[in-house]
């Protein structure tokens, strides 16, 4: 798309472009927005999430199951 095509002919260009896209996607999708007054509550909940329950919920969701929280831990995880 540029007049100077040298960088596009470099053999490593596709890999570098792909890596750049991955970094861009991870930085735009990997942040949390929180209001200042609820930040402490949110960080406490994130630090205390039961990873086994989270793993189970994500597995069920990826299989297409509609997940309704049944236990208190599932409710906390989805919250």
């Amino acid at each position: 798309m540029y007049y100077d095509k040298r960088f596009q002919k470099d053999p490593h260009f596709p890999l570098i472009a792909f890596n750049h896209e991955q970094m861009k996607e991870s930085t735009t999708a990997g942040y949390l927005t929180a209001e200042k007054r609820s930040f402490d509550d949110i960080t406490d909940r994130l630090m205390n999430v039961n990873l086994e329950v989270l793993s189970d919920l994500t597995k069920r969701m990826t299989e297409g199951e509609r997940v309704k929280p049944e236990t208190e831990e599932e409710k906390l995880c989805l919250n």
Side-chain angles (χ1 to χ4, degrees):
M1 295 176 65
Y2 296 102
Y3 177 75
D4 185 4
K5 304 280 187 213
R6 287 179 291 177
F7 73 94
Q8 291 177 348
K9 293 180 181 179
D10 186 284
H12 300 291
F13 174 73
L15 178 63
I16 294 168
F18 178 68
N19 287 345
H20 183 71
E21 284 295 315
Q22 282 184 320
M23 287 185 283
K24 180 181 167 188
E25 289 294 319
S26 69
T27 57
T28 56
Y31 66 92
L32 174 68
T33 304
E35 294 180 6
K36 189 174 183 177
R37 61 187 158 93
S38 61
F39 186 78
D40 290 333
D41 181 48
I42 292 171
T43 55
D44 287 339
R45 282 189 277 157
L46 286 173
M47 294 302 292
N48 295 319
V49 164
N50 186 334
L51 296 179
E52 292 177 9
V53 174
L54 180 63
S55 178
D56 179 55
L57 288 173
T58 54
K59 180 182 174 190
R60 289 167 40 199
M61 286 180 184
T62 55
E63 292 173 351
E65 182 181 336
R66 185 167 184 192
V67 177
K68 285 187 173 183
E70 296 172 359
T71 65
E72 189 62 33
E73 287 184 332
E74 288 180 351
K75 290 177 184 177
L76 290 172
C77 194
L78 289 175
N79 191 15

